[in-house]
Amino acid sequence: MSVEDFRSEAHKLVDWIAEYYKNVADYPVKSQVNPGDIAARLPDAPPDDKEPFSSVFEDIEKIILPGMSHWQSPKFFAYFPANASFPSLLGEILTAAFGAQCMKWETSPAATELEEVVMDWLRQMTGLPENFHGVIQDSGSTSTLCAILTAREKASRFVVNKAGFYGQPIYRIYCSAEAHSSVDKAVRIAGLGHDNLVKIPVDDAYSIDTRILKKRIEDDKQMGYRPLCIVVALGTTGSTAVDPLDEIACISKEYDTWLHIDAAYAGSALLLHEYRWMIKGIEAADSFVFNPHKWLFTNFDCSAYFVRDKDALIKTFQLVPEYLKSQVHGHANDYSDWGIQLGRRFRALKLWFVIRMFGVKGLQEKLRYHISLAVEFEKWLLQAGDYEIMAPRLFNLLCFRYNPSGDLSEDELDLLNENLLKEMNNTGKVYITHTRLKGKYCLRLVIAQTNTTMEHVEQAWQLLIDKSVQIINSGKINPR
Ligand SMILES: *Cc1c(COP(=O)(O)O)cnc(C)c1O
């Protein structure tokens, strides 16, 4: 492909993308294909002869598009969003264009230094302490793994890295029963053993019960275990519950554990001063993660990981073979020493575009707007009378279920709401997902997509009440 061919195709592609964004709300937001449908339309073997871009692109519309769920649709209310924005998209295009591999300062000084600067901007924007240092990781899961590995190394005086676990105490890790599965994964990968992850029960608001936490740590100590790390959830995945950091920080100090904060989704709310209560006690934390790729309008992937003791992080990961030795070693950050991967994408660029082109005020406005839409939806649920709110709403996630008569059994309610979810998603007009809280099936609606407005939320509400009535009338759930 020549430069001139690239220029002309790329212009067309950008036009296509602009049209896509104009019309994305009209696509079925959740892909309606069945397993295997897409693969069946693709050739089994690669082409021997080259093909022009036009014929490749034809297949985007014909084959790929029907198999896409449209995460950038304003009608996307599922999971947590992976929300993008035009500023971020422009940054992502440039990152691909430079194609730089940003493992060390020398391999692209601007990539390293921009990452240092935007991560410090983010630190200021979220109200984290001045002695926290930031690095961009690919995901919240990776950030939490880095935290647990660093905790392990610091506690063992870097012996596990060198000699393995022989002669070490049995380390214990604590988190709430509602903590994200990435904590489980990290504990397994770090070689600590899943049995040593202690899940603490939650209270009525789905936050960790700190009295039980303290008791379990005390009991473990008596039994000869070594408490290693407490993971605090600020915004659980199920219901965005917030653990009481301040109280947990005291426990962490008392038992000298690493204190890691997982704010993957709700960390963005720290841009709003009315949410800073969440990080009371933050000075005692060792590490903190939140994902701008969830609710800060920055294309997946971009996870912001902050640590207090950056030397411990670097000592955990740094290896400098001869072929990577450089003149500036020790004078500039080599971010490949701050995590698992050697090779790194230039991810700071899209974040820089987002922060500059929205401005902090623009970002705050958007976050507050999303929260206000959730407040409205919650009012409608309460006014309608036959919906049950299943967990307190703190941000812009609603957990609820349809409970029309009050005399359905728990099993019938589960089935009713499962069917309701399916019926709603099958229309292609919304995408919502579910969770279970205290064993009960709940619909889970997150209002956080970049371009979602009141109009889309009203449509989702209308669809919910239409389908609720329909499902009762259809007799699909007929308890009597
Ligand atoms: C989404 C989420 C994660 C995982 O984030 P990834 O970037 O997908 O790995 C971790 N913790 C919480 C609370 C989350 O909501």
Side-chain angles (χ1 to χ4, degrees):
M1 199 171 192
S2 70
V3 171
E4 286 315 316
D5 287 346
F6 170 76
R7 188 196 307 279
S8 113
E9 296 296 1
H11 274 292
K12 281 188 263 173
L13 183 62
V14 168
D15 280 339
W16 186 92
I17 293 171
E19 282 306 304
Y20 171 74
Y21 269 87
K22 233 160 101 182
N23 302 321
V24 67
D26 300 333
Y27 290 99
V29 49
K30 180 177 194 282
S31 171
Q32 307 282 311
V33 300
N34 292 313
D37 281 359
I38 302 298
R41 290 181 224 166
L42 295 165
D44 290 332
D48 280 331
D49 297 316
K50 67 177 183 180
E51 298 180 61
F53 181 68
S54 57
S55 73
V56 178
F57 198 73
E58 226 171 80
D59 289 344
I60 294 290
E61 295 199 310
K62 242 177 30 208
I63 303 174
I64 301 301
L65 216 47
M68 294 302 294
S69 289
H70 298 280
W71 285 69
Q72 303 314 319
S73 166
K75 298 172 177 175
F76 186 98
F77 302 104
Y79 307 103
F80 283 134
N83 61 26
S85 63
F86 290 131
S88 166
L89 191 47
L90 290 171
E92 195 69 289
I93 292 171
L94 258 184
T95 292
F98 286 132
Q101 207 277 52
C102 310
M103 56 186 167
K104 290 148 41 89
W105 180 86
E106 273 188 324
T107 61
S108 273
T112 296
E113 294 185 18
L114 187 64
E115 184 161 337
E116 290 169 358
V117 169
V118 292
M119 288 306 282
D120 197 64
W121 286 5
L122 268 192
R123 181 195 62 72
Q124 296 172 46
M125 287 157 66
T126 48
L128 298 180
E130 264 173 43
N131 59 350
F132 275 40
H133 305 272
V135 52
I136 302 178
Q137 306 282 4
D138 55 13
S139 65
S141 304
T142 299
S143 299
T144 291
L145 175 58
C146 288
I148 294 204
L149 289 170
T150 311
R152 184 194 77 186
E153 286 313 296
K154 203 169 177 181
S156 74
R157 300 185 203 293
F158 300 88
V159 163
V160 176
N161 259 357
K162 186 171 183 302
F165 279 100
Y166 185 75
Q168 288 294 314
I170 296 177
Y171 293 109
R172 300 284 259 189
I173 301 89
Y174 307 84
C175 66
S176 102
E178 289 288 320
H180 190 264
S181 58
S182 56
V183 181
D184 303 64
K185 228 186 220 177
V187 166
R188 289 181 184 195
I189 297 171
L192 296 162
H194 205 175
D195 289 350
N196 294 310
L197 176 60
V198 183
K199 299 238 173 132
I200 308 296
V202 291
D203 60 20
D204 289 341
Y206 300 97
S207 308
I208 200 166
D209 186 323
T210 48
R211 274 172 320 158
I212 304 179
L213 172 67
K214 190 166 152 70
K215 172 137 195 350
R216 289 300 302 268
I217 294 179
E218 186 59 44
D219 290 351
D220 277 358
K221 252 190 106 172
Q222 297 298 321
M223 305 257 290
Y225 293 118
R226 167 80 162 83
L228 175 70
C229 174
I230 307 174
V231 180
V232 177
L234 301 186
T236 58
T237 312
S239 71
T240 55
V242 169
D243 291 339
L245 172 60
D246 207 18
E247 284 173 48
I248 299 171
C250 292
I251 299 173
S252 165
K253 262 188 232 157
E254 185 178 343
Y255 293 95
D256 190 25
T257 73
W258 186 278
L259 185 59
H260 175 59
I261 299 175
D262 178 2
Y265 176 73
S268 295
L270 291 170
L271 267 73
L272 308 177
H273 292 267
E274 60 270 31
Y275 281 98
R276 289 279 171 88
W277 55 266
M278 283 198 291
I279 50 165
K280 185 156 185 285
I282 185 75
E283 305 72 32
D286 292 285
S287 51
F288 175 97
V289 58
F290 92 102
N291 286 347
H293 71 226
K294 275 185 170 162
W295 189 26
L296 210 64
F297 322 112
T298 307
N299 282 63
F300 191 84
D301 52 353
C302 183
S303 178
Y305 179 60
F306 292 90
V307 276
R308 191 149 46 91
D309 183 354
K310 72 173 158 80
D311 295 337
L313 176 71
I314 293 169
K315 208 169 160 195
T316 299
F317 289 104
Q318 186 176 54
L319 286 165
V320 189
E322 190 55 39
Y323 49 81
L324 289 177
K325 288 204 173 128
S326 75
Q327 309 263 306
V328 294
H329 195 72
H331 296 285
N333 283 336
D334 288 332
Y335 275 126
S336 55
D337 296 338
W338 291 54
I340 293 160
Q341 40 182 151
L342 172 68
R344 306 179 81 248
R345 284 158 30 77
F346 189 0
R347 284 181 293 229
L349 200 55
K350 59 190 172 190
L351 194 51
W352 192 46
F353 279 30
V354 167
I355 298 172
R356 290 184 63 183
M357 292 172 71
F358 277 88
V360 175
K361 280 188 199 151
L363 292 168
Q364 289 168 331
E365 232 166 73
K366 192 94 133 155
L367 298 173
R368 285 202 179 100
Y369 180 57
H370 283 154
I371 294 165
S372 75
L373 293 176
V375 169
E376 276 305 302
F377 201 96
E378 186 180 35
K379 266 191 221 155
W380 300 337
L381 285 169
L382 290 168
Q383 280 162 6
D386 39 13
Y387 297 94
E388 240 182 292
I389 308 257
M390 304 300 282
R393 181 202 55 76
L394 287 176
F395 309 92
N396 47 351
L397 162 66
L398 290 155
C399 292
F400 61 95
R401 68 179 178 182
Y402 183 41
N403 188 355
S405 67
D407 58 3
L408 297 180
S409 71
E410 285 301 328
D411 284 350
E412 286 165 340
L413 281 171
D414 283 2
L415 197 59
L416 171 67
N417 282 280
E418 260 176 69
N419 283 333
L420 181 55
L421 177 85
K422 218 184 301 164
E423 290 288 329
M424 288 180 75
N425 285 339
N426 282 349
T427 65
K429 290 179 182 164
V430 290
Y431 189 3
I432 60 175
T433 47
H434 80 281
T435 190
R436 275 184 193 275
L437 293 171
K438 302 240 157 96
K440 297 172 183 174
Y441 188 95
C442 317
L443 303 184
R444 204 176 153 284
L445 181 109
V446 188
I447 304 175
Q449 211 292 318
T450 313
N451 300 309
T452 298
T453 65
M454 182 52 107
E455 179 198 345
H456 308 107
V457 175
E458 281 170 352
Q459 287 167 5
W461 170 247
Q462 196 55 51
L463 186 68
L464 173 68
I465 49 182
D466 289 352
K467 289 291 166 193
S468 298
V469 171
Q470 238 179 59
I471 211 160
I472 280 294
N473 291 344
S474 73
K476 268 189 199 166
I477 287 291
N478 187 356
R480 269 157 250 117

